[in-house]
Amino acid sequence: MVKKILILGGGFAGIRVAKDLSRRMPADCRITLVDKNKGHLYTPDLYEIASSPHQKITEECLVELRETVVTPIASIFGSNVEVLRDEVLRISPESNSVELKNAGKISYDYLAICLGSSSNTYNIPGLEQFSYPVKSINDAIAINCHLDTFFKELWKVGKKPEIDINVGGGGPTGVEFSAELSSYVNFLCKKYKYPRDHVKIRIIQGGNELIGLGREVSMIALNRLKAHGVDVLFGSYISKVSANEIELKTKEGQVNTIKSDLLLWTGGVKVNSVVSNCFGDEKSAGAIMVNHFLQNDKYKNIFACGDSAFVKNQKEERVLMMAQFAFEEAKIVAKNISADLTGHAMTAYIPADPVFIIPIAGKFGIIKYKEHVFSGFWCWLVRRLTDLRYCMQILPPWKAFKKWMHGNRVFVEND
């Protein structure tokens, strides 16, 4: 009897599970991967897409931007993985089935849940309506086009008012994005003959440090941002957003309002709503509780990894929601599904110490590993080589290298 293995999600975790399973599964197994998009998105480079300069925005250049970070999922696998483009509506573990928007109900023997996360607006009034998230390829392209159009319209009417661009959130994404955004604004000011000193870029950060990796990393990032014309407002939380204003609150409860022509939101993510509705609880922040085999204790044929899973480290703390962890967790999920199918012992997941790499403004980056902090050009180079390594793991070597070189050519234009 054919065993049906269903993988939900075509992000870092889902691709790795399917890729690894396809190499070790016997002929009597059928692997199906479901994702609502036909492309696999390399999310770490979204900020590059949002800030990539073009003398003229055309359909061709937007296609080029998309292809830089999106890989057709079907091109990653051979004939032993069925790729189904569909949207997951509901997971029913009691009946071993999943309901899809187009295909209806499909059954499984093993289920790997890798549905990722979505932007979290924390129910802040007006935030969803009056801000741009940085979570999908469409988000990034929308930001790129909106900024170009915004400056173009001012150029058409000959107005040169003060412009306030705000970035909500001073984590790695907010810092990376703000730094690259500064270079893009420089380009737009030259393109539309706009005075650069009329444009303010500001990060709004609730805490007293950037990135969340300690004071040393924060200070390096802060100095780099200041050198590229990016201000940071510490100790303030966004409490309300309107079309042209942001209301801020301090921890002490003080309220003030600042002008905002554009708000970009990088302030957090939440577990996919399908996962939180079917499995999540308050203790797991909506994620699926898994054991050290990345297996659900109640439903032993269900595994989860990446942002969908509440994975604990040796200190009983949740493993960070980062791509590098999702990729490694997925390796264990694939190994354990295969082991359970063949009657072998499963492997416990032991999280490794993470390596944090944060590129900031051009060919400069910061690396933190344990208590060691490094910065400079070679850190940026390590990041680009990490991108190449990832491409090599999901595509044939020549295709991977070609895609990586294409990305470098596009991104370096804004450095």
Side-chain angles (χ1 to χ4, degrees), residues 11-32:
F12 290 101
I15 292 294
R16 180 67 184 264
V17 173
K19 194 80 174 174
D20 283 14
L21 280 174
S22 68
R23 296 188 183 114
R24 53 165 55 101
M25 279 295 96
D28 61 347
C29 288
R30 192 176 78 202
I31 304 169
T32 303

Side-chain angles (χ1 to χ4, degrees), residues 18-268:
K19 194 80 174 174
D20 283 14
L21 280 174
S22 68
R23 296 188 183 114
R24 53 165 55 101
M25 279 295 96
D28 61 347
C29 288
R30 192 176 78 202
I31 304 169
T32 303
L33 184 147
V34 179
D35 195 276
K36 65 181 179 181
N37 303 303
K38 68 177 180 179
H40 166 64
L41 175 63
Y42 189 70
T43 53
D45 280 339
L46 275 179
Y47 73 95
E48 295 274 17
I49 300 300
S51 57
S52 183
H54 296 279
Q55 286 298 336
K56 184 179 180 182
I57 293 182
T58 63
E59 184 177 346
E60 288 76 15
C61 79
L62 294 182
V63 169
E64 182 184 49
L65 282 180
R66 187 178 293 272
E67 291 178 345
T68 304
V69 294
V70 176
T71 303
I73 295 176
S75 70
I76 297 174
F77 306 107
S79 58
N80 56 350
V81 176
E82 178 190 12
V83 177
L84 192 59
R85 188 181 180 189
D86 214 327
E87 183 177 352
V88 180
L89 298 180
R90 189 175 295 103
I91 302 168
S92 302
E94 298 85 359
S95 60
N96 290 331
S97 65
V98 171
E99 185 179 343
L100 304 179
K101 185 175 183 179
N102 299 317
K105 188 174 287 189
I106 60 174
S107 61
Y108 61 81
D109 293 295
Y110 287 88
L111 179 65
I113 303 175
C114 319
L115 285 171
S117 56
S118 59
S119 185
N120 193 348
T121 58
Y122 301 101
N123 296 317
I124 298 171
L127 182 58
E128 186 171 355
Q129 181 181 358
F130 297 110
S131 70
Y132 283 82
V134 193
K135 190 63 180 167
S136 70
I137 182 63
N138 289 336
D139 293 338
I141 288 177
I143 291 168
N144 188 304
C145 295
H146 175 78
L147 278 166
D148 189 282
T149 302
F150 183 80
F151 279 89
K152 184 178 182 179
E153 291 303 315
L154 289 174
W155 171 72
K156 281 182 177 179
V157 297
K159 292 183 179 180
K160 297 180 180 179
E162 300 284 334
I163 297 173
D164 288 77
I165 300 174
N166 294 290
V167 177
T173 302
V175 169
E176 293 170 15
F177 189 21
S178 301
E180 213 65 25
L181 187 62
S182 177
S183 297
Y184 187 38
V185 167
N186 292 344
F187 168 82
L188 291 174
C189 285
K190 289 180 181 178
K191 180 178 177 180
Y192 294 112
K193 298 178 175 59
Y194 205 89
R196 180 61 178 84
D197 58 359
H198 282 207
V199 185
K200 177 182 286 187
I201 301 174
R202 178 197 297 115
I203 294 176
I204 301 171
Q205 170 68 339
N208 296 318
E209 292 181 354
L210 293 168
I211 299 176
L213 296 177
R215 182 166 178 76
E216 184 178 359
V217 172
S218 178
M219 288 306 300
I220 295 171
L222 183 61
N223 290 333
R224 182 74 177 172
L225 289 170
K226 285 183 176 179
H228 284 76
V230 179
D231 296 329
V232 181
L233 181 60
F234 288 108
S236 293
Y237 298 85
I238 296 175
S239 56
K240 187 177 180 181
V241 181
S242 62
N244 300 111
E245 289 184 338
I246 299 174
E247 181 184 277
L248 302 174
K249 280 187 180 179
T250 66
K251 288 181 179 179
E252 295 74 29
Q254 295 176 325
V255 179
N256 70 299
T257 302
I258 60 172
K259 177 175 169 287
S260 181
D261 295 287
L262 177 65
L263 173 60
L264 308 169
W265 179 246
T266 66

Side-chain angles (χ1 to χ4, degrees), residues 4-5 11 64 131 145 217 246 268 282 316 341 357 360 390:
K4 292 180 283 188
I5 302 169
E64 182 184 49
S131 70
C145 295
V217 172
I246 299 174
E282 291 183 6
E316 292 296 300
L341 265 168
I357 310 176
I360 307 178
Y390 178 73

Side-chain angles (χ1 to χ4, degrees), residues 301-314:
N301 62 338
I302 293 180
F303 294 78
C305 52
D307 294 352
S308 293
F310 193 94
V311 183
K312 293 181 181 179
N313 59 21
Q314 294 90 325

